[in-house]
Coordinates of all heavy atoms in Angstrom, one line a residue:
M218 N 9.5 -3.4 15.2 CA 8.8 -2.8 14.1 C 7.4 -3.3 14.0 O 7.2 -4.6 14.2 CB 9.5 -3.0 12.8 CG 10.8 -2.3 12.7 SD 11.7 -2.4 11.1 CE 12.8 -3.8 11.6
P219 N 6.4 -2.5 13.6 CA 5.1 -3.0 13.5 C 4.9 -3.8 12.2 O 5.5 -3.6 11.2 CB 4.3 -1.7 13.4 CG 5.1 -0.7 12.9 CD 6.6 -1.0 13.3
R220 N 4.2 -4.9 12.3 CA 3.7 -5.6 11.1 C 2.3 -5.0 10.8 O 1.5 -4.9 11.7 CB 3.6 -7.1 11.6 CG 3.2 -8.0 10.4 CD 3.4 -9.5 10.8 NE 2.8 -10.3 9.7 CZ 3.5 -10.7 8.6 NH1 4.8 -10.3 8.4 NH2 3.0 -11.5 7.7
Y221 N 2.2 -4.7 9.5 CA 1.0 -4.1 9.1 C 0.5 -4.5 7.8 O 1.3 -5.0 7.0 CB 1.0 -2.6 9.1 CG 2.2 -2.0 8.3 CD1 1.9 -1.5 7.1 CD2 3.5 -1.9 8.8 CE1 2.9 -1.0 6.3 CE2 4.4 -1.4 8.0 CZ 4.2 -1.0 6.7 OH 5.2 -0.4 6.0
E222 N -0.8 -4.4 7.6 CA -1.4 -4.8 6.1 C -1.9 -3.4 5.5 O -2.5 -2.6 6.2 CB -2.6 -5.6 6.3 CG -2.3 -7.1 6.5 CD -3.4 -8.0 6.5 OE1 -4.5 -7.4 6.4 OE2 -3.2 -9.2 6.5
V223 N -1.7 -3.3 4.1 CA -2.1 -2.3 3.4 C -3.1 -2.9 2.5 O -2.8 -3.8 1.7 CB -1.1 -1.4 2.6 CG1 -1.7 -0.4 1.8 CG2 -0.1 -1.0 3.6
T224 N -4.4 -2.5 2.5 CA -5.5 -3.0 1.5 C -5.9 -1.9 0.7 O -6.3 -0.8 1.1 CB -6.6 -3.6 2.4 OG1 -6.2 -4.6 3.3 CG2 -7.7 -4.2 1.5
I225 N -5.9 -2.3 -0.6 CA -6.6 -1.4 -1.6 C -7.8 -2.0 -2.2 O -7.8 -3.1 -2.7 CB -5.7 -1.0 -2.8 CG1 -4.4 -0.4 -2.3 CG2 -6.3 -0.1 -3.8 CD1 -3.3 -0.2 -3.5
E226 N -9.0 -1.5 -1.9 CA -10.3 -1.9 -2.5 C -10.4 -1.6 -3.9 O -10.6 -0.3 -4.1 CB -11.4 -1.5 -1.6 CG -11.4 -2.1 -0.2 CD -11.6 -3.6 -0.1 OE1 -12.1 -4.3 -1.1 OE2 -11.3 -4.2 0.8
K227 N -10.3 -2.4 -4.8 CA -10.4 -2.0 -6.2 C -11.7 -1.3 -6.8 O -11.7 -0.4 -7.6 CB -10.1 -3.2 -7.2 CG -8.6 -3.7 -7.0 CD -8.3 -4.9 -8.0 CE -7.0 -5.3 -7.8 NZ -6.7 -6.4 -8.8
D228 N -12.8 -1.8 -6.1 CA -14.1 -1.2 -6.6 C -14.1 0.3 -6.2 O -14.7 1.2 -6.7 CB -15.2 -1.9 -5.9 CG -15.4 -3.1 -6.6 OD1 -15.0 -3.4 -7.7 OD2 -16.2 -4.0 -6.0
A229 N -13.4 0.7 -5.1 CA -13.5 2.0 -4.5 C -12.4 2.9 -5.2 O -12.4 4.2 -5.1 CB -13.3 2.1 -3.1
C230 N -11.3 2.3 -5.8 CA -10.2 3.1 -6.4 C -10.7 3.8 -7.7 O -11.1 3.0 -8.5 CB -9.0 2.2 -6.6 SG -7.5 3.0 -7.3
D231 N -10.4 4.9 -7.8 CA -10.6 5.6 -9.1 C -9.5 6.0 -9.9 O -9.5 6.6 -11.0 CB -11.5 7.0 -8.9 CG -13.0 6.7 -8.7 OD1 -13.4 5.5 -8.9 OD2 -13.6 7.6 -8.2
G232 N -8.3 5.6 -9.6 CA -7.1 5.9 -10.2 C -6.7 7.3 -10.2 O -6.0 7.7 -11.1
I233 N -7.0 7.9 -9.2 CA -6.6 9.4 -8.9 C -5.1 9.5 -8.5 O -4.5 10.4 -8.9 CB -7.5 10.0 -7.8 CG1 -8.8 10.0 -8.3 CG2 -7.0 11.3 -7.4 CD1 -9.9 10.4 -7.2
F234 N -4.6 8.4 -7.8 CA -3.1 8.2 -7.6 C -2.5 9.3 -6.6 O -1.4 9.6 -6.6 CB -2.3 8.2 -8.9 CG -2.7 7.1 -9.7 CD1 -3.1 7.4 -11.0 CD2 -2.8 5.8 -9.4 CE1 -3.5 6.4 -11.9 CE2 -3.1 4.8 -10.1 CZ -3.6 5.1 -11.5
A235 N -3.3 9.8 -5.8 CA -2.7 10.7 -4.5 C -1.8 9.9 -3.8 O -0.8 10.5 -3.1 CB -3.9 11.3 -3.8
C236 N -2.1 8.6 -3.6 CA -1.2 7.7 -2.7 C 0.2 7.6 -3.2 O 1.0 7.5 -2.5 CB -1.9 6.3 -2.7 SG -2.1 5.6 -4.3
L237 N 0.3 7.8 -4.6 CA 1.7 7.5 -5.2 C 2.7 8.6 -4.7 O 3.9 8.4 -4.7 CB 1.7 7.6 -6.7 CG 1.3 6.3 -7.4 CD1 -0.1 5.8 -7.1 CD2 1.4 6.4 -8.9
T238 N 2.2 9.7 -4.4 CA 3.1 10.9 -4.0 C 3.4 10.8 -2.5 O 4.3 11.5 -1.9 CB 2.5 12.3 -4.3 OG1 1.3 12.4 -3.5 CG2 2.1 12.4 -5.8
R239 N 2.7 9.9 -1.8 CA 3.0 9.8 -0.4 C 3.9 8.7 0.0 O 4.6 8.6 1.0 CB 1.6 9.7 0.4 CG 0.6 10.8 0.3 CD 1.1 12.1 0.3 NE 0.2 13.2 0.5 CZ -0.5 13.7 -0.4 NH1 -0.6 13.2 -1.7 NH2 -1.4 14.7 -0.3
D240 N 3.8 7.6 -0.8 CA 4.5 6.4 -0.5 C 4.9 5.7 -1.8 O 3.9 5.3 -2.7 CB 3.7 5.4 0.3 CG 4.3 4.2 0.8 OD1 5.3 3.7 0.1 OD2 4.1 3.6 1.8
P241 N 6.3 5.6 -2.3 CA 6.6 5.1 -3.5 C 6.4 3.6 -3.8 O 6.5 3.2 -4.8 CB 8.1 5.3 -3.5 CG 8.6 5.4 -2.1 CD 7.4 6.0 -1.3
R242 N 5.8 2.9 -2.7 CA 5.4 1.6 -3.0 C 4.1 1.4 -3.7 O 3.8 0.3 -4.3 CB 5.4 0.8 -1.6 CG 6.7 0.6 -0.8 CD 6.7 0.1 0.4 NE 5.9 1.0 1.3 CZ 5.7 0.8 2.7 NH1 6.1 -0.3 3.2 NH2 5.1 1.7 3.4
F243 N 3.3 2.5 -3.7 CA 2.2 2.5 -4.5 C 2.5 3.0 -5.9 O 3.2 3.8 -6.2 CB 1.1 3.7 -3.9 CG 0.6 3.1 -2.6 CD1 1.2 3.3 -1.4 CD2 -0.7 2.6 -2.6 CE1 0.7 3.0 -0.3 CE2 -1.4 2.2 -1.3 CZ -0.7 2.4 -0.2
V244 N 1.9 2.1 -6.9 CA 2.3 2.3 -8.2 C 0.9 2.1 -9.1 O -0.1 1.6 -8.6 CB 3.4 1.3 -8.9 CG1 4.7 1.6 -8.2 CG2 2.9 0.0 -8.6
E245 N 0.9 2.5 -10.4 CA -0.2 2.4 -11.2 C 0.0 0.9 -11.7 O 0.9 0.5 -12.3 CB -0.3 3.3 -12.5 CG -1.3 3.1 -13.2 CD -1.5 4.1 -14.4 OE1 -0.6 5.1 -14.5 OE2 -2.4 4.0 -15.2
G246 N -1.1 0.2 -11.6 CA -1.3 -1.2 -12.0 C -1.6 -1.2 -13.6 O -2.1 -0.2 -14.2
G247 N -1.5 -2.4 -14.1 CA -1.9 -2.6 -15.5 C -3.3 -2.3 -15.8 O -3.7 -2.0 -17.0
D248 N -4.2 -2.4 -14.8 CA -5.6 -2.0 -15.0 C -5.9 -0.6 -14.8 O -7.1 -0.2 -14.8 CB -6.4 -2.9 -14.0 CG -6.1 -2.7 -12.6 OD1 -5.2 -2.0 -12.2 OD2 -6.6 -3.4 -11.8
G249 N -4.9 0.3 -14.5 CA -5.1 1.7 -14.5 C -5.5 2.1 -12.9 O -5.8 3.2 -12.8
L250 N -5.4 1.2 -12.0 CA -5.8 1.4 -10.6 C -4.5 1.3 -9.9 O -3.5 0.8 -10.3 CB -6.7 0.4 -10.1 CG -8.2 0.4 -10.9 CD1 -9.1 -0.7 -10.4 CD2 -8.8 1.8 -10.8
A251 N -4.5 1.8 -8.7 CA -3.3 1.7 -7.7 C -3.1 0.2 -7.3 O -4.0 -0.4 -7.1 CB -3.6 2.6 -6.5
T252 N -1.8 -0.1 -7.2 CA -1.4 -1.3 -6.6 C -0.2 -1.1 -5.8 O 0.3 0.1 -5.7 CB -1.2 -2.3 -7.7 OG1 -1.2 -3.6 -7.2 CG2 0.0 -2.1 -8.6
I253 N 0.4 -2.2 -5.3 CA 1.5 -2.0 -4.4 C 2.6 -2.9 -4.9 O 2.5 -4.2 -5.2 CB 1.2 -2.5 -2.9 CG1 0.1 -1.5 -2.4 CG2 2.5 -2.3 -2.1 CD1 -0.4 -1.9 -1.1
D254 N 3.8 -2.2 -5.1 CA 5.0 -3.1 -5.6 C 6.1 -2.7 -4.6 O 6.8 -1.6 -4.6 CB 5.4 -2.6 -7.0 CG 6.6 -3.3 -7.5 OD1 7.2 -4.1 -6.7 OD2 7.0 -3.0 -8.7
P255 N 6.5 -3.7 -3.7 CA 7.5 -3.5 -2.7 C 8.9 -3.0 -3.5 O 9.7 -2.4 -2.7 CB 7.7 -4.7 -2.0 CG 6.4 -5.4 -2.1 CD 5.9 -5.0 -3.6
D256 N 9.2 -3.4 -4.7 CA 10.4 -3.1 -5.3 C 10.4 -1.9 -6.0 O 11.3 -1.4 -6.6 CB 10.7 -4.2 -6.4 CG 10.7 -5.6 -5.8 OD1 11.4 -5.7 -4.6 OD2 10.4 -6.7 -6.3
A257 N 9.3 -1.0 -5.9 CA 9.2 0.1 -6.6 C 9.9 1.4 -6.0 O 10.3 2.4 -6.6 CB 7.7 0.6 -6.8
D258 N 10.3 1.1 -4.6 CA 10.8 2.1 -3.9 C 12.3 2.3 -4.2 O 13.1 1.4 -4.2 CB 10.7 2.0 -2.4 CG 11.1 3.1 -1.6 OD1 12.1 3.9 -2.0 OD2 10.6 3.3 -0.5
P259 N 12.7 3.6 -4.8 CA 14.1 3.7 -5.3 C 15.1 3.8 -4.1 O 16.4 3.8 -4.5 CB 14.1 4.8 -6.2 CG 12.9 5.7 -5.6 CD 11.9 4.8 -5.1
V260 N 14.8 4.1 -3.0 CA 15.6 4.5 -1.8 C 15.7 3.3 -0.9 O 16.9 3.0 -0.5 CB 15.1 5.8 -1.1 CG1 15.9 6.0 0.1 CG2 14.9 7.0 -2.0
Y261 N 14.8 2.7 -0.5 CA 14.7 1.6 0.5 C 14.5 0.3 -0.1 O 13.6 0.1 -1.0 CB 13.6 1.9 1.6 CG 13.8 3.1 2.4 CD1 13.0 4.2 2.1 CD2 14.7 3.1 3.5 CE1 13.0 5.4 2.9 CE2 14.8 4.4 4.1 CZ 14.0 5.5 3.9 OH 14.1 6.6 4.5
D262 N 15.4 -0.7 0.3 CA 15.1 -2.1 0.0 C 13.8 -2.5 0.7 O 13.9 -2.3 1.9 CB 16.2 -3.0 0.3 CG 17.3 -2.8 -0.8 OD1 17.1 -2.5 -1.8 OD2 18.5 -3.1 -0.3
C263 N 12.8 -2.8 0.1 CA 11.7 -3.2 0.8 C 11.0 -4.7 0.5 O 11.2 -5.1 -0.7 CB 10.6 -2.2 0.4 SG 9.0 -2.3 1.2
E264 N 10.8 -5.3 1.7 CA 10.2 -6.7 1.4 C 8.8 -6.6 1.8 O 8.5 -6.1 3.0 CB 11.0 -7.6 2.2 CG 12.4 -7.8 1.6 CD 13.2 -9.0 2.4 OE1 12.5 -9.7 3.1 OE2 14.5 -8.9 2.2
G265 N 8.0 -7.2 1.2 CA 6.6 -7.4 1.6 C 5.9 -8.4 0.8 O 6.4 -8.7 -0.3
E266 N 4.8 -9.0 1.3 CA 4.1 -10.0 0.7 C 2.8 -9.2 0.0 O 2.1 -8.7 0.8 CB 3.6 -11.1 1.5 CG 4.7 -11.7 2.3 CD 4.3 -12.7 3.4 OE1 3.1 -13.0 3.4 OE2 5.2 -13.0 4.2
V267 N 2.5 -9.5 -1.3 CA 1.6 -8.9 -1.9 C 0.5 -9.9 -2.5 O 1.0 -10.8 -3.3 CB 1.9 -7.8 -3.1 CG1 0.7 -7.2 -3.7 CG2 2.9 -6.9 -2.5
A268 N -0.8 -9.8 -2.2 CA -1.8 -10.7 -2.9 C -2.7 -9.7 -3.6 O -3.2 -8.8 -3.1 CB -2.6 -11.3 -1.8
D269 N -2.8 -10.1 -5.0 CA -3.6 -9.3 -5.8 C -4.8 -10.2 -6.3 O -4.6 -10.9 -7.1 CB -2.7 -8.6 -6.9 CG -3.5 -7.7 -7.7 OD1 -4.7 -7.5 -7.8 OD2 -2.7 -6.9 -8.3
T270 N -6.0 -9.9 -5.9 CA -7.2 -10.4 -6.5 C -8.0 -9.6 -7.3 O -7.8 -8.4 -7.5 CB -8.0 -11.2 -5.3 OG1 -8.6 -10.0 -4.6 CG2 -7.2 -11.9 -4.2
D271 N -9.2 -10.1 -7.9 CA -10.1 -9.3 -8.5 C -10.7 -8.1 -7.7 O -11.0 -7.1 -8.3 CB -11.3 -10.1 -9.1 CG -10.8 -11.1 -10.1 OD1 -9.7 -10.9 -10.7 OD2 -11.5 -12.1 -10.4
D272 N -10.8 -8.4 -6.4 CA -11.5 -7.3 -5.7 C -10.5 -6.3 -4.9 O -10.9 -5.3 -4.6 CB -12.3 -8.0 -4.5 CG -13.5 -8.9 -5.1 OD1 -13.9 -8.5 -6.3 OD2 -13.8 -9.9 -4.5
R273 N -9.3 -6.9 -4.5 CA -8.4 -6.0 -3.7 C -7.0 -6.4 -3.9 O -6.7 -7.5 -4.3 CB -8.9 -6.1 -2.2 CG -8.7 -7.4 -1.5 CD -9.4 -7.5 -0.1 NE -10.7 -7.0 0.0 CZ -11.7 -7.8 -0.2 NH1 -11.6 -9.1 -0.4 NH2 -13.0 -7.3 -0.1
V274 N -6.2 -5.5 -3.4 CA -4.8 -5.8 -3.2 C -4.4 -5.8 -1.7 O -4.9 -4.6 -1.0 CB -3.9 -4.6 -3.9 CG1 -2.4 -5.0 -3.7 CG2 -4.1 -4.6 -5.4
V275 N -3.8 -6.8 -1.2 CA -3.4 -6.8 0.2 C -2.0 -7.0 0.3 O -1.4 -8.0 -0.2 CB -4.1 -7.9 0.9 CG1 -3.7 -7.9 2.5 CG2 -5.7 -7.6 0.8
A276 N -1.2 -6.1 0.8 CA 0.2 -6.1 1.1 C 0.5 -6.2 2.6 O -0.1 -5.4 3.3 CB 1.0 -5.0 0.4
T277 N 1.4 -7.1 3.0 CA 1.9 -7.1 4.4 C 3.3 -6.8 4.5 O 4.2 -7.3 3.7 CB 1.6 -8.5 4.8 OG1 0.2 -9.0 4.6 CG2 1.9 -8.7 6.4
F278 N 3.6 -5.8 5.4 CA 4.9 -5.4 5.7 C 5.4 -5.6 7.0 O 4.5 -5.6 8.0 CB 5.1 -3.9 5.2 CG 4.8 -3.7 3.8 CD1 3.8 -3.2 3.3 CD2 5.9 -3.9 2.8 CE1 3.5 -3.0 1.9 CE2 5.8 -3.7 1.4 CZ 4.5 -3.2 1.0
D279 N 6.6 -5.6 7.4 CA 7.2 -5.8 8.7 C 8.3 -4.8 8.7 O 9.5 -5.2 8.7 CB 7.5 -7.2 9.0 CG 7.9 -7.3 10.5 OD1 7.8 -6.4 11.3 OD2 8.4 -8.5 10.8
D280 N 8.0 -3.5 8.8 CA 9.1 -2.5 8.8 C 8.6 -1.3 9.6 O 7.6 -1.2 10.0 CB 9.5 -2.2 7.3 CG 8.3 -1.6 6.5 OD1 7.4 -1.0 6.9 OD2 8.4 -1.9 5.3
D281 N 9.5 -0.2 9.4 CA 9.1 1.0 10.3 C 8.4 2.1 9.4 O 8.5 3.3 9.7 CB 10.3 1.6 10.9 CG 11.5 2.0 9.9 OD1 11.3 1.7 8.7 OD2 12.5 2.4 10.4
R282 N 7.8 1.6 8.3 CA 7.2 2.7 7.3 C 5.8 2.7 7.3 O 5.1 3.1 6.3 CB 7.8 2.3 5.9 CG 9.3 2.4 5.9 CD 9.9 2.1 4.7 NE 9.5 3.1 3.6 CZ 9.6 2.7 2.3 NH1 10.0 1.7 1.9 NH2 9.1 3.8 1.5
I283 N 5.1 2.3 8.3 CA 3.6 2.5 8.5 C 3.1 3.8 8.4 O 2.1 4.1 7.7 CB 3.1 1.8 9.8 CG1 1.6 1.6 9.7 CG2 3.7 2.5 11.0 CD1 1.0 0.7 10.8
D284 N 4.0 4.8 8.8 CA 3.4 6.2 8.7 C 3.2 6.6 7.2 O 2.3 7.3 6.8 CB 4.4 7.1 9.4 CG 4.4 7.1 11.0 OD1 3.4 6.5 11.4 OD2 5.4 7.5 11.5
E285 N 4.2 6.2 6.4 CA 4.1 6.5 4.9 C 2.8 5.9 4.4 O 2.0 6.5 3.6 CB 5.4 6.0 4.2 CG 6.6 6.8 4.5 CD 7.8 6.2 3.8 OE1 7.7 6.1 2.6 OE2 8.8 6.1 4.5
A286 N 2.6 4.6 4.8 CA 1.4 4.0 4.1 C 0.1 4.6 4.7 O -0.9 4.9 4.0 CB 1.4 2.4 4.5
Q287 N 0.1 5.1 5.9 CA -1.0 5.9 6.5 C -1.2 7.2 5.8 O -2.4 7.6 5.6 CB -0.9 5.9 8.0 CG -1.0 4.6 8.8 CD -0.7 4.8 10.2 OE1 0.1 5.5 10.6 NE2 -1.3 3.9 11.0
Q288 N -0.1 7.9 5.5 CA -0.3 9.0 4.8 C -1.0 8.9 3.4 O -1.7 9.6 2.8 CB 1.1 9.6 4.6 CG 1.6 10.3 6.0 CD 3.1 10.9 5.9 OE1 3.5 11.0 4.7 NE2 3.7 11.0 7.0
A289 N -0.4 7.8 2.7 CA -1.0 7.4 1.4 C -2.6 7.1 1.5 O -3.3 7.6 0.7 CB -0.2 6.2 0.8
A290 N -3.0 6.4 2.6 CA -4.3 6.1 2.8 C -5.1 7.4 3.1 O -6.3 7.6 2.6 CB -4.6 5.1 4.0
A291 N -4.5 8.2 3.8 CA -5.3 9.5 4.2 C -5.4 10.5 3.0 O -6.4 11.2 2.9 CB -4.5 10.2 5.3
A292 N -4.4 10.3 2.1 CA -4.5 11.1 0.7 C -5.5 10.7 -0.2 O -6.0 11.3 -1.1 CB -3.1 11.2 0.2
C293 N -6.0 9.4 0.0 CA -6.9 8.9 -1.1 C -8.3 9.4 -0.9 O -9.0 9.2 0.2 CB -7.1 7.2 -0.9 SG -8.1 6.4 -2.0
P294 N -8.8 10.2 -2.0 CA -10.1 10.8 -1.8 C -11.3 9.9 -1.8 O -12.4 10.2 -1.4 CB -10.1 11.7 -3.0 CG -9.2 11.1 -4.0 CD -8.1 10.3 -3.1
T295 N -11.1 8.7 -2.2 CA -12.2 7.7 -2.2 C -12.2 6.7 -1.2 O -12.9 5.8 -1.1 CB -12.2 6.9 -3.5 OG1 -11.1 6.2 -3.7 CG2 -12.4 7.9 -4.9
D296 N -11.2 6.9 -0.3 CA -11.0 6.0 0.9 C -10.8 4.4 0.5 O -11.4 3.6 1.2 CB -12.3 6.2 2.0 CG -12.2 7.5 2.6 OD1 -11.1 8.1 2.8 OD2 -13.4 8.0 2.9
A297 N -10.1 4.4 -0.5 CA -10.0 3.0 -1.0 C -8.9 2.2 -0.3 O -8.7 0.9 -0.4 CB -9.7 2.9 -2.6
I298 N -8.0 2.8 0.5 CA -6.8 2.3 1.1 C -7.1 2.1 2.6 O -7.5 3.2 3.3 CB -5.7 3.1 0.9 CG1 -5.5 3.2 -0.7 CG2 -4.5 2.4 1.5 CD1 -4.4 4.2 -1.1
V299 N -6.8 1.0 3.2 CA -6.9 0.8 4.7 C -5.6 0.3 5.1 O -5.0 -0.6 4.4 CB -8.0 -0.1 5.0 CG1 -8.0 -0.4 6.5 CG2 -9.3 0.4 4.6
V300 N -5.0 1.0 6.2 CA -3.7 0.4 6.8 C -4.0 -0.1 8.2 O -4.6 0.6 9.0 CB -2.7 1.5 6.9 CG1 -1.4 1.0 7.4 CG2 -2.4 2.1 5.4
E301 N -3.8 -1.3 8.6 CA -4.0 -1.8 9.8 C -2.8 -2.5 10.4 O -2.2 -3.4 9.6 CB -5.2 -2.9 9.8 CG -6.5 -2.3 9.4 CD -7.6 -3.2 9.3 OE1 -7.4 -4.2 8.6 OE2 -8.6 -3.0 10.1
E302 N -2.5 -2.4 11.6 CA -1.4 -3.1 12.3 C -2.0 -4.5 12.5 O -3.2 -4.7 12.9 CB -1.0 -2.5 13.6 CG -0.1 -1.4 13.4 CD 0.6 -1.0 14.8 OE1 1.2 -1.9 15.5 OE2 0.5 0.2 15.1
V303 N -1.2 -5.6 12.3 CA -1.6 -6.9 12.5 C -0.7 -7.7 13.4 O 0.5 -7.3 13.6 CB -1.7 -7.7 11.1 CG1 -2.9 -7.2 10.3 CG2 -0.4 -7.7 10.4
G304 N -1.2 -8.7 14.1 CA -0.3 -9.5 14.9 C 0.6 -10.4 14.1 O 0.5 -10.6 13.0
E305 N 1.5 -11.0 14.9 CA 2.5 -12.0 14.3 C 1.9 -13.1 13.7 O 1.1 -13.8 14.2 CB 3.5 -12.3 15.3 CG 4.4 -11.0 15.8 CD 5.2 -10.4 14.8 OE1 5.9 -11.1 13.9 OE2 5.3 -9.2 14.7

């Protein structure tokens, strides 16, 4: 399974939430912007590491759901989301 990072740049996020309909791990954060919650998926048990700073949210996953994350990134009209495979 690929290991990948999902990054949300908070300055670029406008809270349009097109990502939420593509991947249930994306949720609305307390600041009104998109964030990532691995526990938000009602179907799959998901484990991931999430770092949330003032500038960005970075989540690392090691599962077979990179396509869903890429679809969420592609749906973002402000290009605030980047999905990249990373090494071990």
Side-chain angles (χ1 to χ4, degrees):
M218 287 184 271
R220 182 170 172 83
Y221 58 97
E222 282 185 353
V223 180
T224 303
I225 303 172
E226 295 293 340
K227 291 183 179 182
D228 287 344
C230 181
D231 281 346
I233 297 167
F234 303 121
C236 55
L237 276 65
T238 63
R239 305 314 193 282
D240 187 330
R242 297 173 289 182
F243 288 83
V244 297
E245 182 177 356
D248 57 3
L250 302 176
T252 191
I253 300 171
D254 180 358
D256 296 326
D258 191 324
V260 177
Y261 297 101
D262 285 334
C263 185
E264 292 185 17
E266 300 170 19
V267 180
D269 191 340
T270 68
D271 289 340
D272 298 328
R273 66 186 52 89
V274 177
V275 180
T277 305
F278 296 99
D279 188 4
D280 58 33
D281 60 356
R282 300 179 63 202
I283 190 171
D284 289 340
E285 290 176 51
Q287 289 171 330
Q288 289 174 14
C293 180
T295 61
D296 295 326
I298 303 168
V299 175
V300 179
E301 297 178 306
E302 283 193 50
V303 294
E305 295 296 321

